Structure formats: C-alpha cells, structure tokens
Amino acid sequence: MQHPTNDYFKEVFHTHYPSVRRKLVALVRDEAIAEDLAQEVFLRLYRNPPEEPQVIGAWLHRVLTRIGYDHLNKQARERKLQEKQEQYMQTAEQLGASNEQTFIRQLDQEEVRDWLDQLPERDRNALLLRYSGYSYAEIAEQLQVNPPLVGTLLNRATAKLKRHAEARTQI
C-alpha cells in the first residue's frame, strides 16, 4: 500500500482509534499511557502502512499488542532497576551505620531470638516460617496441621511472643 492520503488516514483513524485505545487501556491499565501508545500505533500506520488495506484491523491489533507489551517490559525493567538502586542505597546506609547503631541492632536481634526461644517449638517455627515469606498453605504443610488452623496458630504464637516481650521489658 502506498503512503495513505490524509482523507483515508483520517477515516481509518476515526474508525479504529476507539478500539485500539480500548485494547491498550485493557493491556496497560492506564488511560493516559494507553492514549500515548495509541498515537504511536497510528504514527506507525502513517509511516509504514500494511501492503494490503483490507488487513488494516489485524495489522493495527498486532502493532498495538507489540507496542503495549514493549511498554510493559520497559516498566518492569525500570521497576527492577529502581529496586536494585534502593537495595544498594540500603546496603550503603547499613555500611555507613555507626558501630553503636550496629551494636544496638545486634542486641535487639539477640533479644528477639531469646523471646522466640521461650516459645514452644511449633509456635516458634510457625512465626519463623511466616516471617520468612511462607504462605499459610506452606506453613500448614511444614507443621503438618490443617490449613485453616494456621491463622489461629500464628495469632496465638504472636500473642505469646508479645507477652514474653512485655514481661522481659518490664523487668
């Protein structure tokens, strides 16, 4: 197909823009970004139209899908980079922490370990698994209990831990 005439391009734009925009909103879940990406789709259509005018709908769908996924991949890369930078900054802050702060943090960790050691083994393991990122189903499997009991078990273990902590800090 040759470069589209202005009238033909306007007709195609007005016909297909609402569906292109709607599909992009569904894909990227942001209306402003979807509108920008839709403009990019039609810019590509204007610059490099398909060879056959009757396949314009399929061509637009393929291009909008590609542009949408490229945008999502770019967002994911930027998010990972930001997380790495934040992690780097946290590490740098920890390395820059004074010896006094490091010592106090170690004492706090030892104190929590002592409180955990006061708990029954099942309660201690339940709390350690939960705060290590395990799901309720995984905790139930590890502790060999029914999954509905995990929430109750964790609540009771947390309450016991609080009681131990309060008793120790009042001494």
Side-chain angles (χ1 to χ4, degrees):
M1 177 176 171
Q2 298 293 326
H3 224 28
T5 63
N6 283 342
D7 291 336
Y8 177 75
F9 182 76
K10 285 179 186 178
E11 179 185 329
V12 169
F13 179 82
H14 290 297
T15 302
H16 293 281
Y17 180 80
S19 66
V20 167
R21 184 186 165 283
R22 185 177 62 250
K23 290 175 185 177
L24 284 166
V25 167
L27 184 62
V28 298
R29 305 215 184 275
D30 185 318
E31 288 193 27
I33 291 172
E35 288 176 3
D36 290 344
L37 296 176
Q39 289 177 10
E40 177 67 26
V41 169
F42 284 98
L43 186 61
R44 288 189 188 182
L45 172 66
Y46 188 78
R47 289 181 180 163
N48 190 16
E51 295 294 324
E52 301 172 26
Q54 63 270 21
V55 297
I56 200 123
W59 186 93
L60 287 170
H61 181 75
R62 185 177 73 240
V63 171
L64 79 85
T65 302
R66 212 177 272 159
I67 286 175
Y69 280 122
D70 286 348
H71 173 76
L72 293 173
N73 289 336
K74 179 182 175 190
Q75 277 186 325
R77 284 192 309 272
E78 288 173 352
R79 203 170 22 253
K80 284 181 184 177
L81 178 62
Q82 185 176 3
E83 288 171 3
K84 282 184 180 180
Q85 288 173 338
E86 288 171 0
Q87 190 176 33
Y88 174 76
M89 293 303 291
Q90 288 175 352
T91 303
E93 287 174 6
Q94 289 173 352
L95 291 175
S98 71
N99 289 337
E100 181 181 351
Q101 291 170 331
T102 304
F103 181 70
I104 290 172
R105 192 177 315 118
Q106 287 174 345
L107 285 176
D108 288 343
Q109 289 172 350
E110 288 174 12
E111 194 171 24
V112 171
R113 281 190 205 109
D114 288 342
W115 295 338
L116 282 170
D117 287 342
Q118 303 277 329
L119 295 176
E121 184 178 349
R122 186 168 100 170
D123 292 345
R124 181 176 53 248
N125 288 339
L127 288 173
L128 290 173
L129 289 169
R130 183 63 186 152
Y131 290 102
S132 295
Y134 284 75
S135 70
Y136 278 34
E138 292 169 326
I139 294 171
E141 183 180 319
Q142 290 288 325
L143 298 179
Q144 297 178 347
V145 297
N146 289 330
L149 297 177
V150 172
T152 304
L153 181 66
L154 287 170
N155 285 335
R156 288 180 183 163
T158 302
K160 288 178 188 175
L161 183 64
K162 284 180 183 177
R163 283 195 300 271
H164 282 292
E166 288 170 355
R168 288 300 210 76
T169 55
Q170 291 177 359
I171 294 177

